[in-house]
Amino acid sequence: MTGLATTPVTALKGVGAALAEKLAKVGLETLQDVLFHLPLRYQDRTRITPIGALRPGQDAVVEGIVAGADVVMGRRRSLLVRLQDGSGTLSLRFFHFSQAQKDGMKRGTSLRCYGEVRPGATGLEIYHPEYRAQSGSEQAPVEQTLTPIYPATEGLTQQRLRQLSEQALARLGPNSLPDWLPTEIARDYHLGPLDQAIRYLHRPPPDANLDELAEGQHWAQHRLAFEELLTHQLSIQRLREQVRQQASPALPPAKRLPEQFLANLGFTPTGAQRRVGAEISYDLAQHEPMLRLVQGDVGAGKTVVAAMAALQAIEAGYQVALMAPTEILAEQHFLNFSRWLEPLGIPVAWLAGKLKGKARAAALEQIVSGAPMVVGTHALFQAEVRFARLALAIIDEQHRFGVQQRLALRQKGIDGRLCPHQLIMTATPIPRTLAMSAYADLDTSILDELPPGRTPVNTLVIAESRRTEVIERVRAGCREGRQAYWVCTLIEESEELTCQAAETTFEDLSAALGELRVGLVHGRMKAAEKAAVMDQFKAGELQLLVATTVIEVGVDVPNASLMVIENPERLGLAQLHQLRGRVGRGSTASHCVLLYHAPLSQLGRERLAIMRETNDGFVIAEKDLELRGPGELLGTRQTGLLQFKVADLMRDAELLPQVRDAAQALLEHWPDHVAPLVSRWLRHGQHYGQV
Ligand code: ADP
Ligand code: MG
């Protein structure tokens, strides 16, 4: 039996060292990899359509005789080839063409071509069709199956990918590619044979239902999606087990510090804060590591909950690390924790990437010698940061951290033995389907109550052409003693351009609103400068703050009740919701203006309408997931997490409960099937394996 899982791609005809290297770059190393590199969609080239029967918008194979080929001038110079087959005339149009190409399409030449038919200046046209001259009486056969279109892969043409899959399919059979789904499971969940599913998806027969395939509703797709989700579930469960097997310091419930803390706080915790606090406190008292996600909408008061947890660890004599994704948010936490903890005699240490030289060395020294409370950014993950007695790691705004980074924390435990408890806080509500997979390794607590006195934000969607009106609105609001944010969004992924735009906007608004005190804060300013501006804004010395999305998370100025967001169409809904959460924190009615650039796409309009219609983070997250997919919602595009090959969490949501049961059964009765499944679906165990 030749196992395709172990046969290298070099076993295929035409694959030498150079091509193998290219293939390895995109994860295609074995014939199994080639077979699991599935088409995204299909073209139907199985029949020739008479020209007279063509419809605009159709992709079609057409055959005919060239009746003439001329270079025409029009708006752009192009080569226009008229093709006839007795049923009608079709024009092929080429905007880029060589002399040789033109010569090859002389009057009388027989051509077969393929492309999208569209209405054009001369009737129906195909722009840049794929084409081939037919020689003499010999008719090339049409395709016998639908033509697969594979995910675009750098340096590899579709033709090449088809040749490779063709050869791999020739070797595919039930013996060369073991089916790791036990027959009992396949039977219970009506899953067809693996090899047939793979063969079908690479080369669907001419009568295959393209709509069904496009919607992912074919049995072959279900079969593979099930296996993929199952594998994902198995790898998370394995990871979770590994974590649970580690020991953490058991931290007894604290008394003295929380009492003092609450007495100084100036408000009483909400019922939800108390409940979630108690859940965390219970977990911390166990020897098993806590892995808990606290989900609470913007402004729900997660920081207080985090502080209570920190005090339990500190009172027991251990260290706590609090990490935030941006420097500005980390600073905000640093200030809050300093304000809360220092009166209790607990110093707070600070570490961020920008801390250099002596200051950095001093911070590292404090941490290694046991500073009880450390606040910082990703810098806390770096290898040279050593903790003396780290018992609790708190991560704010989890959606920006990869699972990998979260796991790296475990190495920071005590003597490499005791692993810190983990508390993860996020304002992005996790839709149920995602929670079941992306966060399956976490327990969840929900802060479902906002502190009293919050007012819902009234959101307006306004076109950029009414900018002057919006500026007047800002003037009026500030005159009445309110404060406002003016947010500039990311331009083409470039922080530099974005900051420049913020500077320009700052100058324009300062000029237009001469009587107001206007401030500017963006990502390229020094930490101290940013902090100074934020402090002025907090103190009410600045009335209008022009900012980039650095203010997205954590910033808290209750008197700010107006926010203008420029080009909101560039942001995800969850991010817009986070931003908007900066207003509506005081008792005055708050407004958020989404100042969009016309024209908006249909999708863009729908998205902004959702923002206008609801203030409920959960509804927004569900919609965002529907419209954009899970990768973007969780900010995990780059980390590769949740990039499924076949499965789609929204579409296949109803499979998830079955998948969970099947995973349980497999772990219990067929544990030796787990490793081959993981290596089949997760490249080098990349997602979760590296622990
Ligand atoms: P988030 O959950 O978005 O991180 P924060 O922890 O920043 O929210 O809290 C938002 C604001 O609400 C802060 O000013 C905080 O001090 C305040 N706050 C938190 N809990 C309460 C409470 N129980 N009563 C009144 N205000 C509270
Ligand atoms: Mg927060």
Side-chain angles (χ1 to χ4, degrees), residues 519-574:
L520 169 68
V521 57
H522 63 59
R524 294 172 81 83
M525 287 162 59
K526 293 216 176 70
E529 287 176 301
K530 273 190 289 190
V533 175
M534 289 310 302
D535 283 348
Q536 285 175 305
F537 189 63
K538 256 191 155 164
E541 290 157 23
L542 293 173
Q543 291 158 292
L544 174 62
L545 183 65
V546 178
T548 54
T549 49
V550 294
I551 60 152
E552 178 187 345
V553 278
V555 175
D556 190 30
V557 181
N559 189 45
S561 60
L562 175 60
M563 174 175 283
V564 179
I565 304 178
E566 285 207 56
N567 302 105
E569 64 277 8
R570 290 181 186 147
L571 300 179
L573 295 188

Side-chain angles (χ1 to χ4, degrees), residues 142-276:
V142 287
E143 300 289 338
Q144 296 303 299
T145 68
L146 298 184
T147 305
I149 306 295
Y150 292 96
T153 332
E154 214 178 299
L156 294 167
T157 61
Q158 289 294 331
Q159 205 182 2
R160 174 74 82 187
L161 289 166
R162 275 172 219 152
Q163 285 164 0
L164 296 176
S165 57
E166 193 67 41
Q167 292 186 59
L169 287 167
R171 301 180 183 220
L172 171 66
N175 294 327
S176 58
L177 191 74
D179 194 335
W180 297 111
L181 289 192
T183 29
E184 288 85 340
I185 289 186
R187 187 196 56 215
D188 289 355
Y189 299 110
H190 311 291
L191 303 168
L194 176 69
D195 61 322
Q196 289 178 29
I198 298 246
R199 195 177 297 282
Y200 191 96
L201 292 178
H202 281 280
R203 298 292 184 272
D207 62 354
N209 182 337
L210 274 176
D211 291 334
E212 192 182 49
L213 283 168
E215 284 158 24
Q217 298 301 345
H218 191 268
W219 74 262
Q221 290 163 312
H222 277 293
R223 166 65 179 77
L224 293 180
F226 190 96
E227 183 172 317
E228 184 172 31
L229 291 168
L230 174 70
T231 304
H232 185 80
Q233 194 67 226
L234 286 169
S235 76
I236 296 178
Q237 293 199 5
R238 205 168 59 164
L239 172 69
R240 189 189 170 102
E241 257 158 43
Q242 283 168 4
V243 173
R244 301 278 181 210
Q245 275 162 15
Q246 292 188 311
S248 290
L251 310 168
K255 279 193 96 109
R256 183 176 57 87
L257 293 175
E259 262 170 30
Q260 290 178 22
F261 168 70
L262 290 175
N264 296 344
L265 194 56
F267 51 77
T268 42
T270 62
Q273 282 169 323
R274 284 179 198 284
R275 174 173 47 75
V276 172

